Amino acid sequence: MNKKISQEVRVRFAPSPTGDPHLGAMRTALFNWAFARKNGGKFILRIEDTDKKRQIEGSIENIIEGLNWLGLNYDEGPDARGDYGPYIQSQRKKHYVDAVNKLLDDGNAYMCDLSPEELEKMKEDQKLQGKPPGYNGYSRNRSREDLEESKKKGLPIVVRLKVPLSGNIEFNDLRRGSMKFDLSKIDDFVILKADGLPTYHLANVVDDSSMLISHVLRGEEWISSTPKHLLLYKFLGLEPPSFVHLPLIFGKDKTKLSKRHGASSIIEYKKSGLLPEALVNYIALLGWSPRNDKEVLSYKDIIDNFDFQGLSVSPSIFDPEKLSWLNGVHIRSMDNETLIKLTQNKLFEEPDDTYKLDSNKLSKIIPLVKERIKSIDEILPSIRFFFIYTKPKRSIIKCGSLSSEEIKEILNKLVTDLTVLLKKNNITHSDIEKLLRDNCENLGLKLRDYLGLIRNCITGAEVSPPLFESIEVLGIEESVSRIQDCINIL
Ligand code: GLU
């Protein structure tokens, strides 16, 4: 067990399967991944499932789905090969039992038979006396035999670490510098629970050591655990990894990030039309920057520039508008082919089979909408009219203050003109634009009112991609037939 930390960079993402993976967890994964990739090291996925009470079914699958979707591929993990598995803690009991036995044998840990109710009572009494509540060392000086007796009687037994009563423990956070903790403030914490499973502290240390983890990059909320881990490394005769704590993520109101702030789980983001590259770009900027003012980052930019100096030490603030803006930026930089494929995948999910998956048509439509959208989910509603015509409501077939009769006349004229235009070969959007502008001028109407009327008639909607191009793609005949439908409504 006493293996030396290898020189190779080996980092891990060690989520507990207690719910859907959230932004903070995925940011931790991203930074570990980027650090490994930059240094030619290994990125490992380890599932920390020793708290069975908090485990939520499906979480492991969702964590893996989230990592795969974001493109954060791991070299070792539950479903990937590796020499240090299993990568699920509940399958590694033997490693923890060995460590606990060593700690007990060396007198650095002891058993305790205080029941959870008694512990609660102890804390209540301490509060009443104005003391900070905590475990008071009840079994620290009792004999091992005495406690073995309790165990035989079937009492719930935990194992606690014998934390030195005085002194300090210090470590060098690779971003924050030296950090010092007063040991007298740390309770004799539990390392093995009554159900025989290790606590997070013990399992985390044993596994980081036996999986030869070189650097631990984890959220700031774990800083107070680090001195406990260092004690364990010391008592187990193991060399600790290096530590880097990542800044907290808050909502705009400076409270812990939650759904209230518009943050979703990664699985929800996946369903919501967000591009993985945009989300990765956004979470990279949560507490890190490449220090060159660049905000639009590719995977390669993140890897190439990733270093601990770029990490901030103050909390970062989640801003959903910025995420949505970045999504738009990434959509625009995507090539049309990829965007067409994504749209087709979405079309396949549509229950309505009147949809035509006409790639040819899509390849003309996609460039029209690409510049305007911020989410893949906005594509379908804005292009639906190309495939299915839903007649507009009577109320939106309007043009300034003109009467129905006047509108009918305008539309009839347009039908005639478009039919004439049909005789021309290779009709382009410029021909359509010229026709509509000339008509508008001759009628003495405001361009906005006139084009608005035509848009509403042809698309059935009040917003659409650019009108002239849309008519070109839709075709003159189809456009004429839609205008005629509207004339009949009037
Ligand atoms: N299982 C812990 C978590 O859920 C891991 C913390 C760590 O990286 O040490 O975040």
Side-chain angles (χ1 to χ4, degrees):
M1 206 155 104
N2 194 358
K3 282 186 195 144
K4 250 181 84 70
I5 294 287
S6 66
Q7 289 309 319
E8 187 194 9
V9 165
R10 288 180 56 83
V11 287
R12 71 346 183 239
F13 172 47
S16 302
T18 51
D20 277 352
H22 50 82
L23 277 181
M26 284 295 153
R27 184 198 58 176
T28 301
L30 171 63
F31 289 172
N32 276 284
W33 174 86
F35 184 62
R37 294 293 167 261
K38 175 160 187 189
N39 294 288
K42 294 277 189 296
F43 174 54
I44 295 146
L45 171 64
R46 181 175 76 224
I47 302 295
E48 301 209 326
D49 62 341
T50 57
D51 191 348
K52 287 293 173 194
K53 276 189 248 115
R54 290 183 56 225
Q55 182 153 350
I56 299 211
E57 215 189 311
S59 299
I60 301 182
E61 291 75 10
N62 285 347
I63 289 164
I64 291 177
E65 185 181 334
L67 289 171
N68 286 339
W69 177 60
L70 291 179
L72 306 179
N73 56 318
Y74 40 91
D75 307 293
E76 297 170 29
D79 56 347
R81 265 196 298 198
D83 295 336
Y84 304 92
Y87 294 90
I88 299 188
Q89 287 188 329
S90 56
Q91 297 169 11
R92 299 176 59 80
K93 272 193 199 154
K94 189 181 168 321
H95 291 74
Y96 314 129
V97 171
D98 287 350
V100 170
N101 285 337
K102 174 173 168 49
L103 291 166
L104 283 171
D105 292 346
D106 294 349
N108 287 318
Y110 59 90
M111 288 185 271
C112 179
D113 55 5
L114 201 68
S115 68
E117 297 73 32
E118 286 168 324
L119 182 60
E120 247 347 277
K121 167 114 190 24
M122 179 185 287
K123 290 184 183 166
E124 285 309 314
D125 292 347
Q126 286 161 333
K127 276 191 219 156
L128 287 177
Q129 292 162 26
K131 290 187 191 152
Y135 176 75
N136 70 359
Y138 172 70
S139 299
R140 189 173 168 113
N141 298 315
R142 287 166 63 198
S143 72
R144 196 163 167 178
E145 292 69 37
D146 182 14
L147 288 150
E148 291 289 1
E149 266 314 301
S150 298
K151 196 174 177 181
K152 273 191 210 127
K153 280 190 214 144
L155 292 179
I157 303 283
V158 301
V159 178
R160 290 179 177 270
L161 198 77
K162 209 171 205 175
V163 179
L165 299 172
S166 61
N168 294 313
I169 200 153
E170 207 170 337
F171 73 95
N172 184 40
D173 179 291
L174 294 184
R175 172 65 182 94
R176 292 160 196 248
S178 166
M179 307 198 97
K180 208 174 186 176
F181 295 83
D182 180 351
L183 288 173
S184 70
K185 302 242 158 56
I186 302 177
D187 284 354
D188 286 350
F189 57 92
V190 175
I191 53 174
L192 194 73
K193 295 177 283 185
D195 61 6
L197 283 170
T199 56
Y200 153 70
H201 301 301
L202 182 79
N204 193 268
V205 164
V206 167
D207 288 348
D208 280 348
S209 172
S210 62
M211 293 180 181
L212 304 187
I213 298 304
S214 60
H215 297 75
V216 167
L217 277 67
R218 63 181 169 205
E220 185 178 330
E221 63 275 25
W222 300 102
I223 285 190
S224 61
S225 296
T226 304
K228 297 181 179 174
H229 296 180
L230 289 167
L231 269 182
L232 281 164
Y233 281 109
K234 188 168 155 214
F235 289 156
L236 290 168
L238 303 170
E239 202 174 324
S242 300
F243 291 94
V244 188
H245 292 93
L246 312 170
L248 298 172
I249 306 175
F250 286 160
K252 278 191 178 152
D253 58 359
K254 309 259 163 67
T255 61
K256 195 170 174 283
L257 189 62
S258 73
K259 278 205 183 311
R260 260 184 322 120
H261 303 107
S264 311
S265 86
I266 303 304
I267 303 302
E268 284 168 312
Y269 279 127
K270 182 180 173 202
K271 290 187 195 137
S272 78
L274 211 62
L275 294 178
E277 48 270 52
L279 189 57
V280 161
N281 184 166
Y282 183 70
I283 57 181
L285 298 172
L286 280 176
W288 176 78
S289 89
R291 288 178 291 151
N292 57 10
D293 286 342
K294 250 185 103 172
E295 286 203 307
V296 179
L297 304 171
S298 66
Y299 285 89
K300 186 170 180 314
D301 294 329
I302 298 170
I303 296 174
D304 290 350
N305 292 294
F306 189 79
D307 63 9
F308 300 146
Q309 257 31 61
L311 288 172
S312 124
V313 288
S314 50
S316 45
I317 307 290
F318 173 70
D319 175 0
E321 283 93 50
K322 187 160 174 187
L323 171 58
S324 146
W325 170 75
L326 270 175
N327 200 39
V329 172
H330 281 270
I331 288 175
R332 278 183 279 294
S333 69
M334 206 172 218
D335 62 81
N336 290 343
E337 287 309 302
T338 316
L339 206 50
I340 289 168
K341 284 229 170 63
L342 279 176
T343 311
Q344 277 182 322
N345 291 344
K346 289 266 171 198
L347 281 169
F348 274 122
E349 288 164 18
E350 287 277 295
D352 194 335
D353 59 11
T354 56
Y355 262 114
K356 301 273 183 297
L357 298 179
D358 181 343
S359 306
N360 206 8
K361 201 165 178 184
L362 272 180
S363 66
K364 291 183 192 139
I365 296 171
I366 291 300
L368 301 184
V369 292
K370 193 174 171 183
E371 296 307 314
R372 306 173 156 218
I373 49 168
K374 288 206 183 109
S375 156
I376 298 293
D377 272 8
E378 288 172 27
I379 298 182
L380 280 199
S382 65
I383 68 170
R384 189 167 266 125
F385 76 92
F386 283 107
F387 302 92
I388 298 172
Y389 183 50
T390 313
K391 279 183 213 157
K393 284 196 228 100
R394 166 74 191 80
S395 60
I396 67 162
I397 310 179
K398 57 175 190 226
C399 182
S401 55
L402 298 188
S403 68
S404 297
E405 281 316 305
E406 287 166 317
I407 294 176
K408 254 190 203 175
E409 216 171 287
I410 290 173
L411 292 179
N412 274 321
K413 160 128 183 52
L414 183 59
V415 166
T416 314
D417 293 343
L418 284 172
T419 316
V420 172
L421 188 64
L422 255 183
K423 299 205 180 88
K424 187 178 177 300
N425 282 334
N426 299 326
I427 305 160
T428 68
H429 58 89
S430 315
D431 300 321
I432 297 161
E433 176 168 2
K434 183 166 179 331
L435 174 80
L436 291 180
R437 283 184 187 276
D438 287 352
N439 269 4
C440 179
E441 206 180 312
N442 294 339
L443 290 162
L445 294 171
K446 279 197 198 125
L447 196 63
R448 228 178 98 222
D449 291 343
Y450 181 66
L451 295 185
L453 167 69
I454 312 303
R455 173 194 313 279
N456 296 356
C457 290
I458 290 179
T459 68
E462 284 177 282
V463 268
S464 80
L467 181 62
F468 314 126
E469 285 86 346
S470 295
I471 297 178
E472 179 188 332
V473 174
L474 194 62
I476 302 289
E477 276 123 330
E478 174 64 20
S479 305
V480 165
S481 130
R482 292 182 180 192
I483 297 171
Q484 257 154 352
D485 275 344
C486 292
I487 296 173
N488 294 337
I489 299 175
L490 286 166

